[in-house]
Amino acid sequence: MNFYNSTHRHYCGIDLHARSLYVCILDQQGDTLLHKEFPAKPEPLLHLIEPYLDDLIIGVECMHCCYWIADFCEDHGIAFILGHALYMNAIHGGKTKNDRVDSYKIAALIRGGNFPLAYAYPRRMRATRDLLRRRTGLVRHGADLNAHVVNTTSQYNLPPNKVNLKNVSAREQLGRTFDDSLVQRNIDLDMAVLECYHRELSQVEWLLEKQAKKHQPTYYHLLTTIPGVSRILALTILYEVGDIRRFESVQKFASYSRLIKCKAESAGKTYGTQGNKIGNAHLKWAFSEAAVLYLRGNPGAQKLLQRFQKRMSKAKALSALAHKLGRAVYFMLKNEKVFDEQRFLTS
């Protein structure tokens, strides 16, 4: 957990909502200079904080509508920090909770050096990352549609159809599978959505790759040198990492990527692990997929996995391999070096 501990003349905490803001500004002595609710629009906000712009820091909790506040501060040269929602709730939780109390507590946390920081993602890459995440959700929904087709075939005791539904001919073949018109209509609905996904997502993936070569061409090239890391995995790692320099150590990068588990200990006793869901789920998925794909047709990687399995189960061995890949990616991006498989397998 990282805290913001710089000092300023004025500390502004904003309890942010889609249609309204509750703003609280404190001075260095902790006196309340402003405490007011108003519509969530840039013009009223600028007018309200204008007397305090000489040395002002604005902090908000990380949520879905914080983008425009970050852009507003960047456009007007105002210092901006983003608060980690889970940690903030743990720190300033109280008996009474409302917008007025929350805005004051946010400002008080900034002033006291107890404001837990989240990463304010760069503006120029943010929309591309969101589009990539949207693409991931649609692909997973497409997998659900594939599963529905398979399950429906089993329901009516028909031979399993081992066809690739990405192909037009395969989708047309399934259009004549069921005698019942309503059952067939159900499958046709799956086929129509899958066809739309295939058409749209191929264009989206082309656009994402084009943006990656413009935003971080070096990162993209380095990631694609890892055997098994496909275009999509490279894009996911690239856009979820952002700038590798924001991680002070490989341990912090591994923790952010959910590649390690933290022990829960007290009085010399271990009570399992905790905080396993804290971090970036997209990076966890990417490195887990990369570990499995790295093993395919790779005797050296398979021997490495067997060495791990002498000390742990297969599931833990795969997690250890994903962790090792994550550490390798950290040093690759930080030092701008291509993947050295010989060093990876022997280290």
Side-chain angles (χ1 to χ4, degrees):
M1 188 186 302
N2 297 319
F3 297 99
Y4 185 80
N5 49 27
S6 298
T7 58
H8 300 267
R9 290 185 59 189
H10 305 110
Y11 305 90
C12 177
I14 299 180
D15 189 53
L16 182 62
H17 298 278
R19 298 290 176 262
S20 65
L21 303 174
Y22 217 115
V23 177
C24 178
I25 298 180
L26 304 178
D27 61 12
Q28 288 181 329
Q29 288 71 40
D31 296 328
T32 303
L33 305 178
L34 177 69
H35 212 174
K36 186 177 180 181
E37 183 178 18
F38 59 95
K41 295 181 180 179
E43 295 79 9
L45 176 60
L46 181 61
H47 177 73
L48 201 67
I49 66 175
E50 196 168 9
Y52 314 102
L53 288 178
D54 52 341
D55 189 10
L56 177 70
I57 179 73
I58 291 180
V60 301
E61 184 178 351
C62 182
M63 59 181 302
H64 74 282
C65 55
C66 65
Y67 286 179
W68 76 269
I69 287 284
D71 296 344
F72 168 85
C73 291
E74 182 180 342
D75 292 339
H76 293 88
I78 303 171
F80 172 80
I81 51 177
L82 195 61
H84 194 290
L86 179 62
Y87 292 156
M88 287 180 68
N89 185 54
I91 293 173
H92 74 75
K95 187 174 182 180
T96 303
K97 186 182 186 305
N98 54 52
D99 297 346
R100 183 177 181 85
V101 171
D102 287 348
S103 61
Y104 173 80
K105 286 188 174 180
I106 292 173
L109 288 176
I110 302 173
R111 174 179 170 270
N114 295 317
F115 187 84
L117 289 171
Y119 181 54
Y121 200 83
R123 183 177 184 177
R124 69 188 186 93
M125 298 171 58
R126 191 175 58 204
T128 310
R129 182 199 62 174
D130 291 349
L131 179 60
L132 180 60
R133 289 181 175 182
R134 183 74 184 280
R135 179 244 171 226
T136 301
L138 295 178
V139 168
R140 289 173 179 170
H141 182 239
D144 291 339
L145 296 177
N146 282 325
H148 178 258
V149 173
V150 174
N151 293 337
T152 305
T153 304
S154 300
Q155 280 179 329
Y156 290 90
N157 197 26
L158 294 176
N161 41 54
K162 299 179 180 180
V163 294
N164 188 351
L165 297 183
K166 293 182 179 180
N167 300 328
V168 177
S169 59
R171 294 195 293 268
E172 292 176 350
Q173 178 182 336
L174 282 173
R176 302 179 298 274
T177 302
F178 299 93
D179 296 330
D180 191 320
S181 61
L182 291 178
V183 178
Q184 186 61 57
R185 185 66 185 91
N186 202 350
I187 297 300
D188 290 342
L189 180 60
D190 292 337
M191 295 301 101
V193 177
L194 285 171
E195 182 178 358
C196 179
Y197 280 178
H198 178 67
R199 181 179 63 254
E200 295 297 328
L201 291 180
S202 60
Q203 299 178 15
V204 168
E205 291 165 5
W206 173 83
L207 177 61
L208 290 171
E209 186 175 14
K210 181 180 177 181
Q211 291 296 108
K213 292 178 180 179
K214 181 174 69 174
H215 290 148
Q216 293 277 24
T218 303
Y219 282 13
Y220 184 71
H221 169 70
L222 293 174
L223 290 169
T224 54
T225 63
I226 304 174
V229 172
S230 62
R231 176 180 59 172
I232 297 302
L233 287 180
L235 290 171
T236 301
I237 296 171
L238 186 157
Y239 280 103
E240 295 301 331
V241 168
D243 187 352
I244 196 66
R245 292 173 297 180
R246 68 187 175 105
F247 299 101
E248 298 176 3
S249 65
V250 66
Q251 289 84 359
K252 290 188 176 182
F253 176 72
S255 177
Y256 178 76
S257 303
R258 294 190 184 182
L259 297 176
I260 60 173
K261 292 185 177 180
C262 301
K263 290 184 179 180
E265 297 178 329
S266 180
K269 297 180 180 179
T270 301
Y271 299 93
T273 60
Q274 66 177 16
N276 298 332
K277 298 296 183 180
I278 298 176
N280 191 303
H282 302 278
L283 280 176
K284 170 65 174 177
W285 168 82
F287 285 122
S288 299
E289 287 289 313
V292 174
L293 295 173
Y294 180 63
L295 292 169
R296 290 184 180 177
N298 191 333
Q302 293 167 8
K303 289 181 181 179
L304 176 63
L305 185 69
Q306 290 172 1
R307 293 211 316 263
F308 288 156
Q309 285 184 255
K310 292 179 181 179
R311 298 181 284 112
M312 60 190 74
S313 65
K314 184 176 181 180
K316 290 185 177 180
L318 286 171
S319 297
L321 180 59
H323 181 200
K324 190 175 178 66
L325 278 172
R327 294 175 64 91
V329 165
Y330 174 82
F331 290 111
M332 284 170 58
L333 299 183
K334 186 174 182 180
N335 301 323
E336 296 189 355
K337 300 289 186 180
V338 298
F339 184 72
D340 187 345
E341 188 167 22
Q342 183 64 30
R343 182 178 180 182
F344 178 81
L345 294 175
T346 56
S347 63

